[in-house]
């Protein structure tokens, strides 16, 4: 989604932009006009790639024409050769910038608009007022018959050097901007993929919650209306469906609603749906699913074009996708189950399997009712219900806390090969961890009194010792015999959800490159360290470390080599610190160290000497070579240099770092205390 970004002010032509060469000034006016066209799109926040690429094409056409004009002018009036070369090089770099911006516009138009405007604004000011003005002065001088200045470097003025230096700095900033944009796009893609995975896992968890609740209802009621309505209510409660309903044809073939729930339940008012193929009302999804005895999924409203009356009605309630699944009772089709959603393309293969499993479970529940009314064995029926689903279910009898029945899903989840391994055994033998056993057993006793309960994200060990995480849903089984109440447990494996949550939490507090704590975790740890130092009446050293000679490694060996150096130092530094100390990446090539439990500064000197050795020792990189960096450090001491906040300590350490780097040639050691001369 395009981000809303602050608008840039439009540029206005003024006398201070005139070069004195009419052809060049007219072309500069057109450049400012193109900039202002971009600026007019900028605050809207909804620019399309097509709009931006159109303006980029206009800018590219202008650029080639304008640069040819200036190049021809400099050939006609040969100005200083070195400055001419720098001028033409600036043209080439600007064209390269436009090529990269054009490539980015197709996927990130807002980023292009934002950074292109910022770059154009400074480029116009620098290039027109600096580079082009300098060229124009030389050309006008030649046109007036004044001989050009010698080309020796010593004739460059301070102004000329400043112009060239700013141009070089602009080029570096542009390069870094595109690197950051590329990294942002990669992070956004990873974030979107992770979010999709989490959304998918959430949907599966929602459907498993429906299965768990439905199993409990089926096990505890003999009322078919209760089962059907429970399905509808659970579906609306645990998912984002807007309507769930179950219907069955009457003697005339028209579906009658047996149960329904959801915000769009009014969709069913006075609706006519038939199972007959010879009338229009029978051509919809329900009629076709009934006759075909198989599920029908509509991923989007456009697929319902041949059922116009229902498509129009669905649009009124925002319905864009639906699923219709037959319910079988004793092997014969008995009803149809329908769910509707306001989003498209949500019925992937796993969701379809879960919906069809729900329909089967409803059928099993109805079969159970039939069996009860026919006085068949209740135990055989429970076995059929339990093992007819993939959910993990087990029944526990109290007060003995003994497992009396389990299904195949339980055996699979807990890692047992046969029911005999657990049936008749106490829960303590299944839940090996005493704390987890007491949580489940305590909740069981509450469920006996209250009727139901749940536990979330509980760590359990499978039979082979594998650790997984699960949600537990328990409900008291209603029965005539009350001296030995039974609790029906449904267990859902949420291990993947737990792992995703842990990964997100780690990304929030740790640097993705080095694995060290980031600024956010540092701020929290610093406040705690200050509190500990205050209580123990000890000193705390806040050290801001900066790498010297790091830039040549990036320049000579590439940014990948620079990253390898940062990773290596991220691994080295903790090894050279004490267990009570802390290290975090501050950003770029800077790190922050917290040295705790100091009684005087002698202990600090010993620790920092090891740190200096760790940083300056040779570092092997993947090319097979060794590289070395230097180190400068600023140190502030709590409570002497800031007892109000960690921010002040970091600021003072940064000031000391600046002083240390400023006196690198004559300093006695690589680190400097704040306030130390």
């Amino acid at each position: 989604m395009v981000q809303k970004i602050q608008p840039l002010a439009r540029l206005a032509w003024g006398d201070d932009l005139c070069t004195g060469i009419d052809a060049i000034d007219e072309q500069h006016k057109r450049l400012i006009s193109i900039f202002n066209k971009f600026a007019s799109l900028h605050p809207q926040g909804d620019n399309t790639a097509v709009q931006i690429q159109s303006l980029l094409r206009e800018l590219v056409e202008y650029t080639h024409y304008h640069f040819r004009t200036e190049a021809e002018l400099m050939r006609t009036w040969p100005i200083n050769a070195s400055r001419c070369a720098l001028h033409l090089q600036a043209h080439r770099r600007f064209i390269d910038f436009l090529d990269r911006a054009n490539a980015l516009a197709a996927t990130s138009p807002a980023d292009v608009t934002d950074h292109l405007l910022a770059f154009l604004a400074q480029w116009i000011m620098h290039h027109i007022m600096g580079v082009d003005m300098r060229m124009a002065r030389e050309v006008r001088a030649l046109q007036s018959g004044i001989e050009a200045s010698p080309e020796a470097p010593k004739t460059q003025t301070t102004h000329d050097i400043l112009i060239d230096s700013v141009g070089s700095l602009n080029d570096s900033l542009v390069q870094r901007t595109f690197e950051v944009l590329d990294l942002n796009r990669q992070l956004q893609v990873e974030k979107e993929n992770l979010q999709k995975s989490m959304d998918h896992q959430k949907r599966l968890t929602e459907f498993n919650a429906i299965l768990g609740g439905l199993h409990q209802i089926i096990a505890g009621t003999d009322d078919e209306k209760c089962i059907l309505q429970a399905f509808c209510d659970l579906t609306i409660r645990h998912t984002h469906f807007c309507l769930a309903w179950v219907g069955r044809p009457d003697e005339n073939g028209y579906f009658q609603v047996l149960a329904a729930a959801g915000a769009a339940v009014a969709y069913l008012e006075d609706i006519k749906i038939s199972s007959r193929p010879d009338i229009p009302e029978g051509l919809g999804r329900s009629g076709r699913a009934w006759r075909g005895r198989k599920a029908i999924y509509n991923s989007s409203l456009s697929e319902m074009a041949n059922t116009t009356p229902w498509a129009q009605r669905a649009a009124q309630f925002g319905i864009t996708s639906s699923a219709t699944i037959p319910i079988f009772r004793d092997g014969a089709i008995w009803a149809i189950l329908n769910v509707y959603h306001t989003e498209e393309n949500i019925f992937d293969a796993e969701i379809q399997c879960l919906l069809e499993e729900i329909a089967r479970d409803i059928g099993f529940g109805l079969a159970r009712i039939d069996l009860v009314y026919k006085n068949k064995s209740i135990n055989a029926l429970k076995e059929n219900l339990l093992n007819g689903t993939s959910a993990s279910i087990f029944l526990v009898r109290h007060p003995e806390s003994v497992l009396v029945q389990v299904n195949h899903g339980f055996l699979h989840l807990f890692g047992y090969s046969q029911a005999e391994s657990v049936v008749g055994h106490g829960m303590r033998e299944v839940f090996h961890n005493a704390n987890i056993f007491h949580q489940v057993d305590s909740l069981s006793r509450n469920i006996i009194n209250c009727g139901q309960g749940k536990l979330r994200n509980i760590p359990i060990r499978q039979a082979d010792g594998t650790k997984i995480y699960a949600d537990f849903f328990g409900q008291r089984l209603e029965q005539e015999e009350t001296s030995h109440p039974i609790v029906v447990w449904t267990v859902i494996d949420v291990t993947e959800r737990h792992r995703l949550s842990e990964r997100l939490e780690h990304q929030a507090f740790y640097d993705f490159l080095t694995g060290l704590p980031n600024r956010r975790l540092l701020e929290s740890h610093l406040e705690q360290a200050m509190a500990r130092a205050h209580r123990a009446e000890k000193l705390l050293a806040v050290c801001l470390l900066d790498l010297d000679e790091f830039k040549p490694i990036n320049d000579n060996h590439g940014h990948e080599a620079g990253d390898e150096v940062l990773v290596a130092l991220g691994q080295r530094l903790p090894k050279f610190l004490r267990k009570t100390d802390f290290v975090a990446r501050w950003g770029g090539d800077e790190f922050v160290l917290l040295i705790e439990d100091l009684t005087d500064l002698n202990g600090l000197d010993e620790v920092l000497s090891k740190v200096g050795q760790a940083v300056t020792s040779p570092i092997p990189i993947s090319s097979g070579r060794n590289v070395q960096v230097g180190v400068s450090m600023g140190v502030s001491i709590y409570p002497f240099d800031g007892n109000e906040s960690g921010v002040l300590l970091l600021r003072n350490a940064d000031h000391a770092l600046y002083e240390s780097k400023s006196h690198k040639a004559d300093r006695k050691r690589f680190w400097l205390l704040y306030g130390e001369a």
Side-chain angles (χ1 to χ4, degrees):
M1 182 175 65
V2 176
Q3 298 178 346
K4 298 292 184 180
I5 42 184
Q6 293 297 321
L8 267 67
R10 296 190 178 193
L11 297 180
W13 179 265
D15 292 338
D16 56 336
L17 297 179
C18 290
T19 64
I21 301 176
D22 292 340
I24 300 299
D25 288 342
E26 288 302 315
Q27 292 176 20
H28 284 169
K29 290 178 182 178
R30 185 183 172 197
L31 175 60
I32 291 178
S33 173
I34 295 173
F35 172 89
N36 289 335
K37 289 181 182 179
F38 272 105
S40 69
L41 293 177
H42 189 232
Q44 297 174 2
D46 58 353
N47 308 322
T48 65
V50 174
Q51 290 175 302
I52 294 175
Q53 286 179 326
S54 175
L55 284 176
L56 281 172
R57 283 195 297 272
E58 181 179 355
L59 181 58
V60 169
E61 292 172 0
Y62 158 82
T63 299
H64 286 290
Y65 174 73
H66 176 64
F67 288 173
R68 284 198 302 270
T69 301
E70 288 191 348
E72 182 61 30
L73 186 64
M74 287 185 284
R75 281 195 296 271
T76 303
W77 302 98
I79 65 173
N80 180 287
S82 62
R83 289 196 285 271
C84 178
L86 289 173
H87 196 128
L88 295 176
Q89 185 181 38
H91 288 178
R92 289 191 295 271
R93 286 196 293 262
F94 184 78
I95 291 174
D96 180 66
F97 166 81
L98 290 182
D99 290 339
R100 299 183 69 176
N102 213 351
L104 185 61
T107 55
S108 303
D111 286 339
V112 170
T113 308
D114 187 13
H115 297 287
L116 180 61
L117 283 176
F119 176 75
L120 275 178
Q122 60 83 21
W123 193 87
I124 288 172
M125 294 300 101
H126 166 68
H127 196 77
I128 292 179
M129 299 184 70
V131 179
D132 283 354
M133 286 291 190
R134 181 174 65 185
M135 176 201 70
R137 286 195 300 270
E138 291 189 57
V139 169
R140 292 199 310 271
L142 291 171
Q143 290 174 339
S144 301
I146 301 175
E147 184 178 353
S149 300
E151 295 182 3
K154 65 183 180 180
T155 64
Q156 281 192 309
T157 66
T158 301
H159 184 257
D160 289 334
I161 294 173
L162 181 60
I163 290 173
D164 296 335
S165 298
V166 171
S168 178
L169 177 60
N170 285 339
D171 294 336
S172 298
L173 290 175
V174 168
Q175 175 68 22
R176 193 60 182 162
T177 296
F178 276 102
E179 291 174 358
V180 171
L181 286 173
D182 289 338
L183 179 59
N184 284 340
R185 286 202 306 277
Q186 294 174 15
L187 291 176
Q188 185 63 29
V189 169
E190 293 176 2
K191 181 180 177 182
E192 290 172 357
N193 290 338
L194 182 59
Q195 187 62 49
K196 288 178 181 178
S197 177
M198 292 183 65
D199 289 344
H200 182 68
Q201 183 65 27
K202 180 182 178 183
R203 283 203 176 102
L204 294 181
T205 302
E206 290 169 349
F207 277 91
N208 278 316
I210 296 174
L211 279 168
L214 191 59
H215 294 152
Q216 295 172 24
I217 296 296
I218 289 173
T221 184
D222 298 331
D223 184 353
E224 69 180 32
K225 172 68 175 177
C226 180
I227 293 176
L228 300 179
Q229 189 60 49
F231 155 73
C232 297
D233 293 340
L234 287 167
T235 299
I236 298 304
R237 184 186 310 155
H238 291 291
T239 71
H240 293 87
F241 285 109
C242 61
L243 175 61
W245 66 281
V246 178
R248 175 173 167 77
D250 60 17
E251 62 274 17
N252 297 316
Y254 285 97
F255 282 93
Q256 301 300 312
V257 177
L258 305 180
V265 72
Y267 170 83
L268 299 173
E269 292 180 3
D270 301 323
I271 196 169
K272 289 188 178 297
I273 303 174
S274 175
S275 61
R276 294 168 51 186
D278 58 335
I279 58 176
E281 293 86 347
L283 301 180
R285 301 175 306 283
S286 298
R288 289 185 286 124
W290 177 270
R291 294 190 299 273
R293 298 167 58 88
K294 63 181 181 180
I296 295 177
Y297 299 93
N298 279 318
S299 298
S300 66
L301 191 63
S302 60
E303 297 181 15
M304 299 191 291
N306 63 332
T307 56
T308 304
W310 293 284
Q312 294 174 349
R313 194 181 188 96
Q316 295 174 5
F317 292 88
I319 296 170
T320 59
S321 60
S322 67
T324 304
I325 303 98
I327 297 174
F328 294 88
R329 189 171 189 173
D330 286 335
I333 189 168
W334 182 80
I336 49 109
L337 173 158
N338 289 274
V339 289
Y340 299 78
H341 208 288
T342 56
E343 294 180 14
E344 296 184 344
N345 302 315
I346 69 162
F347 297 108
D348 59 28
E350 289 184 274
I351 300 300
Q352 291 181 21
C353 288
L354 286 169
L355 280 170
E356 291 169 21
E357 183 174 349
I358 288 173
R360 286 195 299 272
D361 285 353
I362 292 175
F364 292 146
L366 298 172
R368 173 187 177 276
I369 294 173
D370 293 339
L371 290 172
V372 168
Y373 285 125
K374 295 175 183 178
N375 296 318
K376 292 186 177 181
S377 170
I378 189 66
N379 290 329
L381 177 58
K382 286 183 179 178
E383 188 70 22
N384 183 39
L385 287 171
L386 289 173
N387 291 322
T389 175
S390 60
S392 173
I393 300 174
F394 64 101
L395 281 66
V396 180
R397 186 181 67 234
H398 293 275
E400 305 93 332
S401 296
V402 170
L403 280 75
V404 296
Q405 201 165 7
V406 300
N407 73 340
H408 293 311
F410 174 91
L411 298 177
H412 174 74
L413 181 63
F414 283 78
Y416 294 98
S417 59
Q418 53 188 1
E420 289 76 9
S421 301
V422 289
V423 172
H425 295 254
M427 280 204 302
R428 186 67 181 85
E429 297 179 47
V430 176
F431 298 98
H432 305 293
N433 182 282
N435 182 48
I436 301 303
F437 163 75
H438 288 304
Q439 287 188 62
V440 178
D441 190 56
S442 176
L443 181 60
S444 295
R445 301 183 190 284
N446 289 335
I447 291 172
I448 292 171
N449 295 323
C450 303
Q452 59 183 3
K454 59 187 176 183
L455 291 170
R456 295 192 178 275
N457 212 39
I458 300 300
I460 58 177
R461 294 282 181 183
Q462 294 178 316
D464 63 357
T466 301
K467 186 178 182 180
I468 62 173
Y469 289 83
D471 288 348
F472 287 70
F473 301 86
Q475 182 165 334
R476 183 184 63 232
L477 180 64
E478 300 298 334
Q479 54 185 357
E480 295 181 0
E481 191 357 278
T482 59
S483 61
H484 292 278
I486 292 178
V487 175
V488 181
W489 287 101
T490 301
V491 186
I492 299 172
D493 186 351
V494 295
T495 305
E496 186 59 25
R497 184 189 72 190
H498 179 83
R499 290 172 180 167
L500 287 172
S501 177
E502 286 185 330
R503 285 201 292 270
L504 286 175
E505 182 177 357
H506 187 272
Q507 291 173 3
F509 291 100
Y510 290 87
D511 176 58
F512 76 96
L513 178 63
T514 64
L516 291 175
N518 60 15
R519 286 193 181 202
R520 185 175 178 185
L521 187 54
L522 168 66
E523 291 169 359
S524 172
H525 194 89
L526 178 54
E527 295 298 326
Q528 297 172 19
M530 292 169 63
R532 287 192 294 269
H534 178 74
R535 288 194 301 270
E537 298 184 350
K538 294 293 184 69
L539 302 180
L540 166 67
V542 178
C543 312
L544 185 56
L545 181 155
D546 181 79
L547 302 182
D548 296 330
E549 305 304 319
F550 180 74
K551 185 177 182 298
I553 294 177
N554 280 329
D555 294 340
N556 298 329
H557 302 282
H559 289 283
E560 293 81 5
D563 287 346
E564 290 180 44
V565 170
L566 294 175
V567 170
L569 292 177
Q571 296 171 349
R572 278 187 186 179
L573 286 172
K575 297 177 181 178
F576 281 77
L577 296 174
R578 303 168 305 173
K579 291 183 178 180
T580 57
D581 300 331
F582 179 87
V583 59
R585 186 181 180 196
W586 185 246
D589 60 347
E590 292 183 331
F591 300 81
V592 173
L593 283 64
L594 304 182
I595 312 301
E596 294 190 50
D597 202 31
L598 295 172
T599 56
D600 54 48
L601 296 183
N602 292 330
L604 177 63
D605 186 79
E606 179 180 352
V607 174
L608 295 187
S609 295
K610 294 179 180 180
V611 170
Q613 178 185 353
V615 175
T616 57
S617 296
I619 299 172
I621 57 177
S622 58
S623 66
R625 304 182 62 180
N626 288 339
V627 295
Q628 284 185 277
V629 293
V631 58
S632 295
M633 181 185 291
V635 181
S636 62
I637 303 296
Y638 173 89
F640 305 139
D641 302 327
N643 58 7
E644 297 85 1
S645 70
V647 174
L648 182 58
L649 286 169
L650 288 167
R651 186 185 305 142
N652 291 338
D654 184 62
H655 181 79
L657 172 63
Y658 176 81
E659 292 296 325
S660 176
K661 293 181 76 70
S662 299
H663 298 83
K664 196 185 306 183
D666 58 354
R667 67 190 183 188
K668 296 179 180 179
R669 59 177 185 251
F670 72 87
W671 57 277
L672 185 70
L673 288 170
Y674 173 72
E676 186 177 31

